[in-house]
Each structure stands twice: as C-alpha cells, then as structure tokens.
C-alpha cells in the first residue's frame, strides 16, 4: 500500500518506473516492428527477427548478454532511419499498439503516486523516440531513455549517445534527485528485471514487478514487495475513473549527464574484459 499525500514541507519524492513488462506487457521497441515494416524502415526478415525477439522477451526476459546483443542489433538496424519518420510512425500507431497493453495495476499506481504528490518518471532502455510518447500517454512527468546519435541529415548514425541500462539508470536517478530535490529515501522504484537492481537499490521503497528469477530471489532476500501485474486494460476503458492530470510539459531527461554515459561505458568494458 502507498503512503498518503506528501507533506510538502518535506523534500520532494518521485516514483521511478521501468517500462517494459513493468508498466506495459511487452517490449515497447519491439512492439512497433510491424509499423516500422509497413513504413518501409525494415524488411520482412528484420520484422520476423524482432517478432522472435519479442517472443523470447515475453517467455523469460533477456539476460545481460542477450540485452547487449539486442542493443547491437537494434543500433545497426536503425542506422540511416529518418528520425522524423520514426516519430511520425510512433505517433500514428501509439494508441493502437501501446494503449491495449498497459497494465491496469501500473496505471492505478501512477495515478496513486500523482495523487500523493509524487512525480512519476519512466526509466527505460528503449529509445527516446518510443519512450517519450509512451510517457506522455501515461501522464509521466519525466522520462529517462536511450538516445541514438542523429547526424546532420536527420538520420540515426547507428551510434548510441546514451544507453539507459543497468548502473546508468541509477546514475540518472541520482542526478535527477539532485536537480529536482528528490529525497531518494522517500522515493519509489518498480522493475521486473535483475538488470535494474542498481536502480532499485538507489531508492528507499523498491518494488519487484513480475520479477525474473534473479530479481525475485533478491527481492525475497531483502524483504522488498513483490507485485504481480496481470491485467492489461486500455486506458480509454479507465477514463471514467482515471484522474491523472494532463502533463503538458513532459521533461525528457534521457541524457542528463556525461557521468551516466561514462558509468555505462566503464561497466560494459569491464564486462567484455571479464568475458574475454
């Protein structure tokens, strides 16, 4: 159960939500693969491969090495894509693809946190072009998401500017706390994956949602609440009771500091060396 309305004489607080399999029932990036295929951005083979990746993700999640391979594959896949075209495709299909897979339990939690006076921040490994519109749909105040380098021609170069994954998520949360005045001990965090343990450990109220085996084990050992979200319900069906206020100024906080990107680079370098 959440605590009541925030005492505004105290430091501010926020609720940090992972996106995929925490707020929505699928991978946000992979969900748009059919739309990208219909828009001519990917071929049939790539569409089938991303459909298979979605199946693997839903069946048991992706471990670190699988996530790394997926990152490299998607970075290479989107090289040369026109950013404006991507944004238009996401905007045109957002409600049809994302609205039906939002967990009812997650939407209720977001509403409760806002009612209690806490900011809601979506922290996702998916790309900003997908996460920012989804965050707006959910009524989030801010998003932290992966960002790709965009060339002078307005197309992705295939290089990653900022990768919101593992320790970089925790670093982003700490930087947001410093800039926004959040008291991390009074903040909440929600995720389904053990790869988000640094983010969960950064706050005073961590929660495991639909956890993978490693996260469930860690949550039970630490006495963290374990939540099971099972009811995807379109937001439009919740409109009679949904009271989340409109958020006209969603703040994209994806690349809020070089420290986060550096932390991720150091972590991946050390991982590669240890595996060599």
């Amino acid at each position: 159960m959440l605590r009541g309305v925030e005492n505004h004489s105290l430091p501010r607080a926020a609720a940090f939500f992972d996106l995929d399999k925490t707020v929505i029932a699928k991978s946000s990036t992979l969900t748009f693969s059919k739309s990208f295929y219909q828009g001519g951005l990917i071929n049939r083979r790539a569409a089938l491969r991303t459909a298979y990746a979605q199946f693997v993700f839903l069946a048991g999640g992706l471990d670190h090495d699988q996530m790394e391979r997926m990152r490299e594959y998607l970075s290479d896949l989107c090289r040369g894509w026109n950013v404006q075209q991507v944004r238009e495709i996401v905007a045109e299909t957002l409600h049809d693809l994302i609205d039906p897979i939002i967990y009812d339990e997650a939407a209720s939690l977001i509403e409760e946190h806002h009612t209690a006076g806490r900011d809601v921040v979506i922290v996702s490994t998916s790309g900003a072009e997908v996460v920012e519109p989804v965050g707006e749909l959910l009524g989030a105040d801010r998003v932290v998401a992966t960002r790709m380098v965009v060339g002078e021609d307005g197309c992705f170069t295939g290089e990653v500017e900022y990768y919101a994954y593992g320790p970089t998520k925790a670093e982003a949360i700490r930087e947001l706390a410093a800039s926004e005045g959040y008291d991390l001990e009074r903040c909440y965090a929600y995720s389904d994956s053990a790869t988000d343990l640094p983010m969960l450990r950064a706050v005073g109220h961590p929660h495991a949602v639909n956890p993978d085996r490693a996260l469930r084990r860690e949550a039970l050992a630490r006495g963290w609440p374990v939540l099971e979200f099972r009811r995807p319900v379109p937001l439009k069906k919740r409109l009679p009771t949904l009271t989340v206020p409109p958020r006209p100024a969603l703040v994209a906080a994806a690349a809020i500091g070089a420290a986060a990107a550096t932390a991720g680079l150091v972590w991946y370098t050390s991982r590669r060396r240890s595996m060599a």
Side-chain angles (χ1 to χ4, degrees):
M1 293 293 292
L2 296 180
R3 297 179 181 178
V5 176
E6 291 287 310
N7 182 340
H8 294 291
S9 65
L10 298 174
R12 300 175 64 204
F16 300 94
F17 288 83
D18 173 51
L19 183 59
D20 301 346
K21 293 178 73 174
T22 301
V23 175
I24 64 175
K26 298 181 179 181
S27 161
S28 51
T29 297
L30 299 179
T31 295
F32 285 95
S33 61
K34 183 177 180 180
S35 298
F36 293 153
Y37 169 67
Q38 292 173 338
L41 293 176
I42 60 177
N43 58 29
R44 181 174 175 80
R45 181 180 180 182
L48 290 173
R49 182 171 179 180
T50 53
Y52 174 73
Q54 180 78 275
F55 168 76
V56 172
F57 180 76
L58 294 176
L62 302 176
D63 61 22
H64 166 75
D65 295 332
Q66 290 171 319
M67 284 290 293
E68 174 67 357
R69 289 194 293 272
M70 181 60 64
R71 179 189 67 84
E72 292 176 350
Y73 169 69
L74 292 176
S75 298
D76 183 65
L77 183 67
C78 74
R79 182 182 292 112
W81 288 9
N82 181 274
V83 177
Q84 186 58 36
Q85 184 183 4
V86 173
R87 289 173 177 159
E88 289 173 357
I89 290 174
V90 171
E92 289 170 1
T93 58
L94 179 69
H95 287 273
D96 289 340
L97 295 179
I98 299 298
D99 197 351
I101 61 173
I102 296 171
Y103 284 121
D104 182 49
E105 300 93 336
S108 294
L109 263 181
I110 289 172
E111 181 180 13
E112 289 176 33
H113 279 297
H114 274 146
T115 300
R118 303 182 192 99
D119 284 355
V120 169
V121 184
I122 302 298
V123 188
S124 175
T125 303
S126 293
E129 288 72 22
V130 169
V131 180
E132 289 173 12
V134 174
E136 208 169 331
L137 177 67
L138 292 166
D141 300 275
R142 291 170 177 78
V143 299
V144 175
T146 294
R147 287 192 178 278
M148 302 293 293
V149 176
V150 180
E152 293 182 0
D153 59 355
C155 297
F156 292 124
T157 66
E159 298 175 336
V160 178
E161 177 184 345
Y162 168 75
Y163 190 35
Y165 179 71
T168 64
K169 284 189 175 183
E171 185 63 29
I173 285 174
R174 293 188 188 97
E175 291 192 21
L176 266 179
S179 64
E180 300 301 320
Y182 300 144
D183 178 358
L184 286 175
E185 282 301 311
R186 296 173 59 245
C187 288
Y188 294 70
Y190 302 86
S191 178
D192 70 294
S193 174
T195 61
D196 281 338
L197 279 170
M199 177 178 83
L200 294 170
R201 292 168 181 157
V203 303
H205 301 284
H207 293 70
V209 177
N210 301 337
D212 59 27
R213 187 175 301 175
L215 178 56
R216 184 180 295 275
R217 184 168 55 246
E218 184 79 5
L220 293 176
R222 291 175 173 266
W224 295 346
V226 176
L227 308 178
E228 301 292 341
F229 292 174
R230 296 289 183 246
R231 301 191 307 272
V233 176
L235 284 180
K236 56 189 174 184
K237 289 189 177 181
R238 291 175 49 89
L239 284 179
T241 59
L242 190 65
T243 58
V244 175
R247 301 284 166 178
L250 177 70
V251 179
I256 58 177
T262 302
L265 178 60
V266 171
W267 189 59
Y268 278 112
T269 301
S270 63
R271 284 281 304 188
R272 283 178 177 276
R273 288 174 178 170
S274 67
M275 293 170 60

